[in-house]
């Protein structure tokens, strides 16, 4: 177990650029050796938060601690963190060895120690044969590995990753996801990883921090966030294809709570502890929870059929809502046909239409 790994504690961080408030009081406690993902749409402030942890930006309010030590007034190099950038940020005129050893040479570390560290990192990352090459002679994935190597040689207390895979093609991205996860387990260090790709977030993190408009919307394990999104924003952002939403009016019938959807149908909501029996509400249904059944209560018009090989996505219209249906069946329904859709009440998420907060707990 890596005894050097440190926790990161973020309290009340606020940051503006000019008159634009980018972070509005962010609190987050990251445990030692945890792999935490900052996930959110473009512009939500995740990169800014990472740069504030690194010391590349200064917050106007709040504090950052690495372990017990308060670091927000320290220079980046005094914080003992290493950052891996989306752009790799390699020095083009230096070969791989020199790129990796640069920060150690700046620190005037002994030559033998430098060689040891670079060789160890190169072995971990499979770069041993490439130490003499220049960045222009490397593939995207190899460059990304060099930039990770440059972080590893410094033995930081915390690794910060800023969308490190977004410049890679889809196949390589899947491969590198595995490599970064492996690396995290090998090095056993605290990692904070920024991405807007929710598949990356789901597959890599111990915990996901979902951000939106400069605040944290939810913190939880990938499956907690997926299965129990705290509000409509998280529900709509996490999961691909995205969750379907339908607005209606809560009502009770002999069989329990239902959502009445204007002039269409009543959707039974089952036993969920909603604590409310009337008023406007929004239901959320994940595309893979919709079933195509002859007598399904949601009579929907199929607008497009998208087979991917493994599964089929149907784009349908029901009431005033677009409905995505995801099925592993090879459905032979043509566009323009009407189908019946049904859902198990246990799979329905329920949100307040006004506040977007989750109603069933
Ligand atoms: P992306 O996924 O697109 O990188 P992000 O969530 O990482 O988005 P940030 O890069 O943190 O978002 O940016 C948050 C907001 O702050 C954006 O509106 C951005 O335009 C603004 N911003 C970021 N850096 C600066 C800067 N140096 N000067 C002015 N505005 C900035």
């Amino acid at each position: 177990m890596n005894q050097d790994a440190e926790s990161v504690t973020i309290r009340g961080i606020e940051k503006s650029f000019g008159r634009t408030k980018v972070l509005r009081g962010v609190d987050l406690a990251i445990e030692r050796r945890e792999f935490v993902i900052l996930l959110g749409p473009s512009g939500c402030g995740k990169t800014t938060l990472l740069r504030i942890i690194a010391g590349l930006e200064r917050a106007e309010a709040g504090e950052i601690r690495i372990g017990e030590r308060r670091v927000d007034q320290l220079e980046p190099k005094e914080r003992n963190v290493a950052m891996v950038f989306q752009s790799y940020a390699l020095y083009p005129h230096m070969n791989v060895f020199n790129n990796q050893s640069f920060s150690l040479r700046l620190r005037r570390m002994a030559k033998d120690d430098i060689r040891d560290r670079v060789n160890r990192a190169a072995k971990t990352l499979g770069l041993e044969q490439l130490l003499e090459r220049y960045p222009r002679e490397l593939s995207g994935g190899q460059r990304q590995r060099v930039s990770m190597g440059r972080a590893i040689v410094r033995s930081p207390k915390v690794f910060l990753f800023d969308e490190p895979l977004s410049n890679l093609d889809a196949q390589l991205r899947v491969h590198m996801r595995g490599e970064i996860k492996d690396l995290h387990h090998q090095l056993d260090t605290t990692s904070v990883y920024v991405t807007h790709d929710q598949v990356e977030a789901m597959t890599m993190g111990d915990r996901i921090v979902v951000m939106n408009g400069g605040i944290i919307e939810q913190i939880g394990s990938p499956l907690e966030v997926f299965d129990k999104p705290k509000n409509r924003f998280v529900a709509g952002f996490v999961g691909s294809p995205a969750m379907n939403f339908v607005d209606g009016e809560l009502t009770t019938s002999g069989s329990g709570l239902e959502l009445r959807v204007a002039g269409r149908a009543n959707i039974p909501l089952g036993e969920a502890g909603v604590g409310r029996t009337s008023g406007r509400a929004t239901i959320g249904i994940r595309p893979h929870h919709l079933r195509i059944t002859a007598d399904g209560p949601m009579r929907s018009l199929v607008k497009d059929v998208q087979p991917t090989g493994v599964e089929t996505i149907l784009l349908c219209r029901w009431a005033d809502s677009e409905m995505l249906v995801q099925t592993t069946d090879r459905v032979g329904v043509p566009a323009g046909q009407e189908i019946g859709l049904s859902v198990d009440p246990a799979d329905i998420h329920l949100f307040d239409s006004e506040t977007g907060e989750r109603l069933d707990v």
Side-chain angles (χ1 to χ4, degrees):
M1 194 181 286
N2 180 355
Q3 297 301 341
D4 283 343
E6 291 281 20
S7 59
V8 180
T9 311
I10 295 164
R11 280 203 203 108
I13 290 292
E14 292 183 25
K15 173 74 182 168
S16 304
F17 289 110
R19 269 191 267 150
T20 315
K21 191 114 187 161
V22 177
L23 296 172
R24 303 161 182 273
V26 171
D27 296 301
L28 175 62
I30 300 169
E31 288 168 27
R32 298 169 71 197
R33 298 190 293 276
E34 203 178 9
F35 197 136
V36 163
I37 307 273
L38 304 182
L39 173 71
S42 184
C44 72
K46 50 198 189 300
T47 298
T48 303
L49 182 59
L50 197 76
R51 291 173 61 84
I52 287 174
I53 301 172
L56 301 173
E57 300 283 356
R58 284 278 158 97
E60 285 112 39
E63 61 175 62
I64 309 265
R65 283 176 195 272
I66 294 181
E68 294 301 313
R69 193 165 71 124
R70 188 159 172 186
V71 298
D72 42 86
Q73 299 304 322
L74 301 182
E75 290 300 312
K77 62 177 189 306
E78 296 170 316
R79 298 187 183 200
N80 220 342
V81 301
M83 188 145 160
V84 177
F85 297 90
Q86 174 182 357
S87 60
Y88 318 136
L90 301 179
Y91 302 110
H93 58 285
M94 289 184 198
N95 66 18
V96 170
F97 183 92
N98 286 332
N99 260 289
Q100 301 223 3
S101 58
F102 185 71
S103 65
L104 307 181
R105 284 184 279 134
L106 275 189
R107 279 198 238 162
R108 301 187 188 286
M109 188 179 273
K111 274 199 171 145
D112 286 350
D113 287 345
I114 293 181
R115 186 157 293 281
D116 259 10
R117 284 193 183 212
V118 172
N119 285 340
R120 228 179 315 135
K123 195 162 174 224
T124 308
L125 293 163
L127 291 170
E128 294 131 301
Q129 308 305 319
L130 305 176
L131 289 172
E132 302 299 321
R133 294 233 196 132
Y134 286 84
R136 63 174 181 277
E137 300 167 325
L138 301 173
S139 70
Q142 289 166 337
R143 281 180 212 175
Q144 189 50 273
R145 253 178 258 151
V146 176
S147 92
M148 288 195 276
R150 216 166 40 168
I152 293 175
V153 293
R154 296 173 51 197
S155 307
K157 306 262 186 215
V158 180
F159 276 101
L160 305 173
F161 294 94
D162 187 12
E163 310 218 21
L165 305 186
S166 36
N167 287 344
L168 305 178
D169 67 45
Q171 211 171 354
L172 191 55
R173 217 180 302 161
V174 173
H175 176 75
M176 291 300 288
R177 251 189 240 157
E179 286 203 1
I180 293 183
K181 227 168 136 176
D182 263 5
L183 192 66
H184 174 77
H185 288 133
Q186 269 184 58
L187 301 174
D188 204 23
T189 321
T190 312
S191 299
V192 188
Y193 186 107
V194 163
T195 183
H196 60 261
D197 177 338
Q198 42 89 27
V199 178
E200 225 165 271
M202 291 294 294
T203 52
M204 294 177 77
D206 295 321
R207 280 195 303 162
I208 298 180
V209 175
V210 185
M211 294 182 66
N212 180 32
I215 59 156
I216 292 178
E217 298 272 7
Q218 185 168 4
I219 305 174
S221 72
L223 289 181
E224 271 163 19
V225 170
F226 186 83
D227 290 340
K228 285 253 178 217
K230 244 183 91 184
N231 56 40
R232 187 176 161 159
F233 172 80
V234 177
F237 191 73
V238 176
S240 177
M243 188 182 275
N244 299 297
F245 295 105
V246 180
D247 291 322
E249 204 64 51
L250 287 175
T251 175
T252 33
S253 76
S255 52
L257 193 65
E258 297 181 338
L259 188 82
R260 182 189 301 142
V261 181
R264 290 297 177 136
N266 285 10
I267 305 199
L269 298 177
E271 303 294 315
V274 174
R276 163 180 321 187
T277 52
S278 63
R280 290 199 64 73
T282 302
I283 54 170
I285 307 171
R286 295 230 178 259
H288 69 281
H289 284 144
L290 280 170
R291 284 192 308 271
I292 304 170
T293 47
D295 58 351
M298 291 178 254
R299 309 299 307 168
S300 308
L301 182 70
V302 177
K303 296 180 70 184
D304 193 24
V305 182
Q306 301 169 349
T308 69
V310 179
E311 60 185 20
T312 305
I313 311 282
L314 286 104
L315 177 59
C316 304
R317 182 148 201 95
W318 182 67
D320 290 329
S321 304
E322 295 280 338
M323 302 290 267
L324 289 172
V325 182
Q326 183 181 28
T327 170
T328 48
D329 295 340
R330 298 225 160 159
V331 276
V333 189
Q337 189 169 316
E338 197 181 79
I339 55 171
L341 295 175
S342 63
V343 59
D344 182 338
D347 292 328
I348 294 178
H349 303 256
L350 190 63
F351 304 99
D352 185 300
S353 296
E354 300 262 302
T355 64
E357 287 304 305
R358 186 182 189 91
L359 291 174
D360 53 328
V361 282

